[in-house]
Amino acid sequence: MAKTRVLVVDDSVVIRRVVSDVLSADPGIEVVGVAANGRIALSKLTHATPDLVILDVEMPELDGLQTLAAIRKSHPRLPVIMFSALTEQGAAATLDALALGASDYFAKPAGKGGLEESRRVIRDELVPAIHAICTPKALLPAPMPPSSTGRPARPGRVEMVVIGVSTGGPNALADVFRFLPAGLPVPILIVQHMPPMFTRLLAERLTGLSKVPVEEAATGVEPLPGRALIAPGDFHMTVVRDGTRVRAVLNQDPPENSCRPAADPLFRSAARVFGDGLLAVVLTGMGQDGYRGCQEVKAAGGQVLAQDEATSVVWGMPGFVVRAGLADRILPLNMVGAEIVRRVSRSGEA
């Protein structure tokens, strides 16, 4: 099988070397070029013919956002992964890059760990993402055996919507939330795999795009109809019943599926609290987070929607759910928001 050809663009000589060394150690990746800024990167695109570009956000002459915009004009389908500083400015620029069409992003480790931590992030997180984004669909894992969990003949009234998403998530969530009306009669809880600070900025951006306000969750907050809560970076989010009310609870229990926050803890707890009144939605993302949670959602009588393969940046999370026979409906991204509204509205008429 041909190696994935990668162009590394970063103004730091040290970062270029570390990224190149770790990527080159993987037998399925070939670093076909490096560049110190966007102008050099654009000049190398034609003869280096990369399958994927790793692009720093902050660079002299032509920064990451300007370079990405130029790449999208000349190579609209070329996957680009942003490599940004773990700062508020870096987080904001990263969300801008995702809106411009970047496939994914990674935050450069800062402080403790230094270069060794950088190598670990590149090896354990960036390399798998490159493979997931660039693997031909025909080579994806074989289908899983169908789940033994049954579906109710008539789902209960939807009382809560939970969403799990990862790679490609900010754009996917923006697409879904554009379809949601003001006054949606149920709350929405979201787990997006992101570090601290990024989730707060994402909540602010979704609020600006949607009629449904989004904010970071905090322990003790009550999910309210017509509003959404997103799990803060580095915290799992669960729900508990407190008398007649439901409250969000945050914790820093060990990562699940290598993620914190993870969708599975939220889905499990919501299935216990809402039973057949839960609607779970699994969108684009790498890995299988959400799969085990959806097993419990279905066992409790709830409903599951999954994004289809064609519109997913990476069909990992929804793919596991679909292959296991857990999805009530598999939808292209531009139909997910309307389907949420339809199911919530239909259940209200029941």
Side-chain angles (χ1 to χ4, degrees):
M1 187 174 70
K3 293 184 177 184
T4 298
R5 299 167 58 83
V6 177
L7 174 65
V8 178
V9 187
D10 198 293
D11 65 331
S12 165
V13 175
V14 174
I15 293 294
R16 290 200 303 272
R17 182 180 301 121
V18 171
V19 172
S20 298
D21 288 349
V22 177
L23 296 188
S24 298
D26 186 281
I29 295 175
E30 177 185 1
V31 176
V32 294
V34 296
N37 61 52
R39 292 194 190 282
I40 298 171
L42 293 174
S43 70
K44 289 191 173 186
L45 278 182
T46 302
H47 64 265
T49 61
D51 300 309
L52 180 141
V53 176
I54 295 171
L55 185 59
D56 187 17
V57 171
E58 298 178 17
M59 296 181 295
E61 293 193 48
L62 202 66
D63 67 21
L65 292 177
Q66 295 167 318
T67 305
L68 176 61
I71 290 174
R72 281 290 157 262
K73 289 180 181 177
S74 61
H75 298 74
R77 296 184 180 277
L78 179 63
V80 177
I81 295 178
M82 307 305 295
F83 216 32
S84 68
L86 192 56
T87 62
E88 180 148 354
Q89 181 179 349
T94 299
L95 290 175
D96 288 339
L98 293 171
L100 283 171
S103 306
D104 202 359
Y105 73 96
F106 284 87
K108 296 178 181 179
K112 284 187 177 180
L115 288 180
E116 282 311 308
E117 177 62 8
S118 296
R119 288 190 175 92
R120 185 200 65 76
V121 169
I122 297 163
R123 182 184 64 247
D124 297 345
E125 300 178 23
L126 181 57
V127 167
I130 291 171
H131 287 308
I133 291 170
C134 294
T135 297
K137 292 179 179 178
L139 299 178
L140 289 170
M144 299 172 65
S147 167
S148 60
T149 54
R151 294 194 183 102
R154 185 175 178 81
R157 177 191 180 99
V158 174
E159 300 175 72
M160 170 69 76
V161 177
V162 292
I163 300 175
V165 62
S166 183
T167 312
N171 287 347
L173 288 169
D175 200 303
V176 169
F177 270 70
R178 284 191 185 98
F179 286 89
L180 303 182
L184 191 74
V186 300
I188 300 175
L189 298 181
I190 306 163
V191 167
Q192 159 76 59
H193 298 163
M194 272 187 158
M197 190 185 330
F198 284 68
T199 45
R200 175 176 59 80
L201 293 174
L202 176 59
E204 292 172 0
R205 294 194 178 210
L206 290 174
T207 296
L209 292 170
S210 168
K211 297 183 177 70
V212 175
V214 183
E215 62 184 44
E216 275 193 318
T219 291
V221 170
E222 181 181 0
L224 297 174
R227 304 183 71 87
L229 295 176
I230 188 168
D234 204 31
F235 285 87
H236 294 308
M237 176 169 62
T238 62
V239 290
V240 297
R241 193 169 290 283
D242 179 13
T244 59
R245 296 184 174 184
V246 172
R247 300 194 184 278
V249 177
L250 305 182
N251 68 68
Q252 288 191 306
D253 289 348
E256 295 192 28
N257 309 301
S258 302
C259 304
R260 189 171 65 203
D264 277 343
L266 173 61
F267 285 19
R268 283 197 307 266
S269 65
R272 288 193 294 268
V273 171
F274 294 101
D276 65 2
L278 182 63
L279 173 60
V281 182
V282 183
L283 302 177
T284 176
M286 189 171 68
Q288 65 178 46
D289 189 28
Y291 159 61
R292 291 184 178 85
C294 282
Q295 286 182 314
E296 300 202 25
V297 172
K298 295 304 297 179
Q303 306 172 61
V304 174
L305 304 179
Q307 185 176 346
D308 70 2
E309 184 176 10
T311 62
S312 295
V313 175
V314 176
W315 205 54
M317 289 169 56
F320 269 93
V321 171
V322 170
R323 294 188 192 98
L326 295 167
D328 292 281
R329 207 160 167 209
I330 307 155
L331 297 157
L333 180 60
N334 64 1
M335 292 179 62
V336 173
E339 183 67 10
I340 291 172
V341 174
R342 188 181 76 82
R343 289 180 181 251
V344 168
S345 302
R346 184 183 66 187
S347 72
E349 297 168 357

